[in-house]
Amino acid sequence: MASTLWRRIFLGVYVVSMVLVSLLLVLLAFDDGEMVQIDDQAEVMRRRTPSILASVTLEVPCWPPVEITDQDYLYRLSRRISVIPRVSGSFPGEAPGKLAGRMVFADGGEEPFSLSNTLMVGEEVYYSPEAREELAELRRSLAGRLYTLQSLATFFVPDNQVVVEDTEGSVLLSPQDTGLLRQAIEAGDLVEDPEEANQTVRDRPPRYAIHVRTGAGVDMLRLLVYGNESIQVYDTYSSGQPLLLCFGGELVPLCQGLLEAV
């Protein structure tokens, strides 16, 4: 009889103890502080966690737009953006070579964006001094999707003016000769690291320069062709004339032949 009573007492104490421990764990797990109701929609947008990207469209002047839908790439892009703090107040201004376009999110939202020294998505600005390298890597990654040899080749069409020059003269190419340049560019090899390409030419002057203008004569691109078959492509439409891409290709003999034919 006594043993049965002690078992019941022990069981009762055990049950009460487990209930108390469970309540404590629940309180610790969900005690995030005072609950706050946010009625300001802008504040809700500021506090929300960035959504996973569903697509990114790059749209910069002159260049054909590029839509990115590779889900693995977009997931990595979303993770990279999520570690960059959002800021208000003062932050660095735009730098030459700004990228821009539209971001579509998995939750159905869509925002314009721009990326230079800072990342702006809609009204949100992402920046911190500690994240400068992260922002630079983000820009390099997106620029690599936009500035390709296939996109570069689209500039070499009869509707545009293409001029090849050296220190002794220049020639406005015919549509047929422009097509030859296009073929040489498409057959080139893109250099992944522009800094590496700069090391190969250093302070050497280019042998040839190729200028690409619209039919109305508006500057768009300048290609510098070096003797070692290294070619650098600069944006002459935007301010700052930033370096866009580098590639290797057999343009030296082609440019020489085009100028000698004058």
Side-chain angles (χ1 to χ4, degrees):
M1 182 71 176
S3 62
T4 301
L5 178 62
W6 280 111
R7 281 198 299 270
R8 288 179 179 178
I9 293 173
F10 176 78
L11 182 60
V13 172
Y14 176 78
V15 171
V16 172
S17 300
M18 292 303 296
V19 170
L20 291 175
V21 170
S22 298
L23 287 174
L24 180 61
L25 290 175
V26 169
L27 290 174
L28 291 174
F30 292 98
D31 186 17
D32 289 334
E34 183 182 356
M35 182 178 294
V36 178
Q37 181 175 347
I38 304 173
D39 296 321
D40 186 351
Q41 184 179 5
E43 184 67 8
V44 173
M45 294 300 291
R46 186 184 71 81
R47 295 193 181 196
R48 75 172 187 169
T49 302
S51 299
I52 298 298
L53 289 165
S55 69
V56 172
T57 302
L58 299 168
E59 300 169 334
V60 300
C62 301
W63 288 76
V66 172
E67 183 180 16
I68 304 171
T69 57
D70 181 339
Q71 292 304 304
D72 289 339
Y73 177 81
L74 292 171
Y75 177 74
R76 294 193 299 271
L77 205 64
S78 301
R79 293 289 300 272
R80 181 165 285 163
I81 293 173
S82 69
V83 302
I84 303 173
R86 281 172 285 184
V87 297
S88 60
S90 60
F91 44 84
E94 294 180 355
K98 180 183 75 172
L99 298 178
R102 293 177 290 108
M103 290 183 173
V104 178
F105 299 92
D107 62 4
E110 180 175 344
E111 295 285 0
F113 82 93
S114 62
L115 174 61
S116 57
N117 286 330
T118 62
L119 170 64
M120 177 172 284
V121 181
E123 299 298 323
E124 298 286 347
V125 178
Y126 295 77
Y127 173 78
S128 78
E130 295 75 19
R132 283 180 293 187
E133 181 54 38
E134 192 70 32
L135 285 161
E137 181 57 35
L138 184 64
R139 190 199 172 282
R140 283 192 292 268
S141 178
L142 287 172
R145 295 291 181 122
L146 178 65
Y147 301 124
T148 65
L149 293 181
Q150 291 72 29
S151 292
L152 176 62
T154 63
F155 287 85
F156 291 82
V157 293
D159 290 340
N160 291 334
Q161 300 178 18
V162 180
V163 175
V164 176
E165 67 177 17
D166 61 8
T167 56
E168 298 181 359
S170 64
V171 57
L172 175 64
L173 299 188
S174 66
Q176 181 179 358
D177 290 338
T178 297
L180 294 176
L181 263 181
R182 176 173 182 149
Q183 293 175 14
I185 290 170
E186 290 175 331
D189 294 311
L190 188 67
V191 176
E192 298 294 338
D193 185 0
E195 292 300 324
E196 178 184 341
N198 282 332
Q199 290 296 324
T200 63
V201 297
R202 295 186 180 180
D203 297 327
R204 301 174 185 174
R207 289 187 60 176
Y208 305 102
I210 302 171
H211 302 273
V212 183
R213 304 182 177 99
T214 67
V218 177
D219 283 322
M220 293 189 290
L221 297 175
R222 181 177 77 254
L223 285 70
L224 299 182
V225 182
Y226 291 86
N228 64 350
E229 298 288 3
S230 178
I231 301 101
Q232 298 178 338
V233 183
Y234 291 85
D235 179 0
T236 54
Y237 179 85
S238 304
S239 60
Q241 299 191 17
L243 175 66
L244 301 181
L245 71 150
C246 301
F247 69 100
E250 298 183 3
L251 268 65
V252 170
L254 179 56
C255 291
Q256 181 178 354
L258 293 172
L259 285 166
E260 289 177 351
V262 178

